[in-house]
Amino acid sequence: MKFVVVAGSTATARIEGISAAGADSAVMAHTPSADCEIVAYGQPVCSPVVPVSPSGCPTPAVVTRAVRELARFETVVVDAGLAEPTAAPTVTVGEESGRDVRTARAVPEAREIFTAAEEYGRALPDDELVIGETIPGGTTTARCVLAALGERRATSSSLPENPIALKQQVVGEALDTAGIAAGGAAGTPIAAVRAVGDPVLAAVAGLVTGTTAGGTEVTLAGGTQLCAAAALARHAGVDAPLSLATTSFLAADDTADVEGLASDLDLDLTITDPGFDRESHPALDAYVAGEAKEGVGMGGALALAERAGIPMTDIRDRVVTIHDRLLATEPRVEP
Amino acid sequence: MKFVVVAGSTATARIEGISAAGADSAVMAHTPSADCEIVAYGQPVCSPVVPVSPSGCPTPAVVTRAVRELARFETVVVDAGLAEPTAAPTVTVGEESGRDVRTARAVPEAREIFTAAEEYGRALPDDELVIGETIPGGTTTARCVLAALGERRATSSSLPENPIALKQQVVGEALDTAGIAAGGAAGTPIAAVRAVGDPVLAAVAGLVTGTTAGGTEVTLAGGTQLCAAAALARHAGVDAPLSLATTSFLAADDTADVEGLASDLDLDLTITDPGFDRESHPALDAYVAGEAKEGVGMGGALALAERAGIPMTDIRDRVVTIHDRLLATEPRVEP
């Protein structure tokens, strides 16, 4: 089993009010790079920031790292197009971050990313892969892709109040600019990503296509972004069984409608509750209040913990330890 | 603890008769990239070759992978300048492979590689690091660097009969071209690497400098190449304790004189014998006959196995399993 985090950036995240994956937009550019370092090393290494939301909610990378330290699974970071450098060891499938979806061609190299990820996935010897993501702004690009493919336009958010009206407006502008009607890109997944997606969606879809071709079992670890990647894979002709593992926080979000998406896309759904409401600590409380919800493969990591029989109380303790260590770390450089 | 494999290439390996790290020079260009994939995944993934010597001796990456599977330590590949792509997750500290040491400026970006590796090393949170290498031709560049620094010119070889006369000639030409007398680069390690070294030496020296600055315990896993890297670190002013872990095969090589080098450079020496002579199998016999001897951190991996109490018979079984699996794998592309 290998746990893959696909990381990238999209300028879509810079739209005011669209994402909580960073205290402000300057910090947010570093969030996915820092997330990868936290998963790989337990703390930012070269990245100048510790990703927290504007209200201080720690990145879900902390939860994934906590499970990793206890379950000791192997992780691989796939760089689909990070805007800022990361010191995490990476497999590179894309060189450029994505553009604002409201401009033409959000991911010019969508096909190259898809193909590189597909080839990598096909070559991997693992019998099981769990795939998560980190890309601020990714729920909005996911919604754009679901719309372009004609799938259910469900969308989660890292914010407690999902800015749905803003996202709808962005999706409308994106499809208009691309000249794609709702459902107009059905059956042409690469065209959908190129026009209105992000590099992570291209890479995850390619990875799913390549790994399932060789019979690898794939679990998509996340919410609506991973559903959009699954939709792309389905539209690329993948009919292998696929699983979706997400958190109870994401599942409780009606705007995400992950059950509807899983049903539409024939995804075997697992929801794991880490019981953050049983204790009170800044590392846990924000999740209970509906922030972050999911990301960096959190739901998949929690499902692996449950499968390995690791008690959630141990996970919570480890989350608190890592969180406190992170906040004690002085960022090395101001962004 | 983290196990780091520093990988790179040098055109010095193309000198006829200098290296056994590949069946021929076209294959040899892929050897370090394939080694990294074997350590990371247990087999080549995108690399088109399974590295074996001209006589069929399997790469020591097989031994390191075998120990990794049993001891379950974390590995990181640091790319100091690979000539061919690798699908292993990498931290990149250098962009270009090294030039033939007989031409001017073997490693033009020696300082940049050293500094990037030093910064990465300083930022790593680990309390212990084991550092190995994979770079065909590396024993020759190591001898050049030892000569330039005025250190003992001991040199091992991946060939059973070390082509010492050829190497002496190459070292002489390299120093002549660089205009450096023996010992002329003492105290200027970066100048030594830039003139007559290779990218891996620059990266290992930087990594040692950066990690020891933060109090991390460092074990250099290998033979004369790692000794040359240690010499560079000593000449850069590192006076922290350093260990050297190598194999009994390397220690048995008088031309390597690893005991003399360890003593000169104040390295705490550990020699581990995997007992390959107790069984007969193509995966083991070539080592007993004096081929390969060391590489890809083999000696350090064996020392970790011993420390973890893993019986050498288990290691040998696993080496045979991985070797047989590798040879059963069809290379995907002819080089």
Side-chain angles (χ1 to χ4, degrees), chain B residues 1-7 35-36 39 59-68 73 75-76 129-135 200 204 219-223 225-226 244-247 250 270 272 287 292-305:
Chain B
M1 198 281 297
K2 202 165 264 107
F3 194 97
V4 180
V5 176
V6 183
D35 278 347
C36 297
V39 171
T59 167
V62 170
V63 182
T64 297
R65 174 69 193 189
V67 180
R68 188 196 173 190
F73 51 71
T75 57
V76 170
L129 221 64
V130 178
I131 309 174
E133 58 66 39
T134 169
I135 176 166
V200 166
V204 176
T219 297
L220 297 159
Q225 291 166 251
L226 275 301
L244 182 75
T246 196
T247 65
L250 197 290
T270 301
T272 310
Y287 284 88
K293 299 186 187 75
E294 176 54 278
V296 203
M298 177 178 169
L302 291 172
L304 288 172

Side-chain angles (χ1 to χ4, degrees), chain A residues 287-307:
Chain A
Y287 284 88
V288 179
E291 272 199 78
K293 297 185 188 76
E294 176 54 276
V296 202
M298 177 176 168
L302 292 172
L304 288 172
E306 195 147 271
R307 190 169 86 183

Side-chain angles (χ1 to χ4, degrees), chain A residues 2 40-41 43 45-46 65 68 72 74 76-77 87-91 119-120 122-126 332, chain B residues 2 40-41 43 45-46 65 68 72 74 76-77 87-91 119-120 122-126 332:
Chain A
K2 203 165 263 105
Y41 305 111
Q43 63 185 62
V45 163
C46 294
R65 172 70 193 188
R68 188 198 172 188
R72 300 182 66 81
E74 274 185 43
V76 170
V77 173
T90 53
V91 175
E119 284 175 3
Y120 174 65
R122 189 175 292 125
L124 275 178
D126 300 271
R332 286 158 203 281
Chain B
K2 202 165 264 107
Y41 304 112
Q43 63 185 61
V45 163
C46 294
R65 174 69 193 189
R68 188 196 173 190
R72 300 182 66 79
E74 274 185 43
V76 170
V77 173
T90 54
V91 175
E119 283 175 4
Y120 173 64
R122 191 175 291 125
L124 277 176
D126 300 273
R332 285 158 204 280

Side-chain angles (χ1 to χ4, degrees), chain A residues 220 226-227 230 234 242-244 261-263 265-269:
Chain A
L220 297 160
L226 275 302
C227 288
R234 293 293 188 217
L242 292 173
S243 300
L244 182 76
L261 278 167
S263 164
L265 300 164
D266 195 16
L267 310 175
D268 184 23
L269 180 63

Side-chain angles (χ1 to χ4, degrees), chain A residues 6 17 19 40 91 94-95 121-122 148 203 222 247 254 269 285 299 305-306 334:
Chain A
V6 183
S19 175
V91 175
E95 303 290 343
R122 189 175 292 125
T247 65
D254 290 338
L269 180 63
D285 297 347
E306 195 147 271
E334 283 303 314

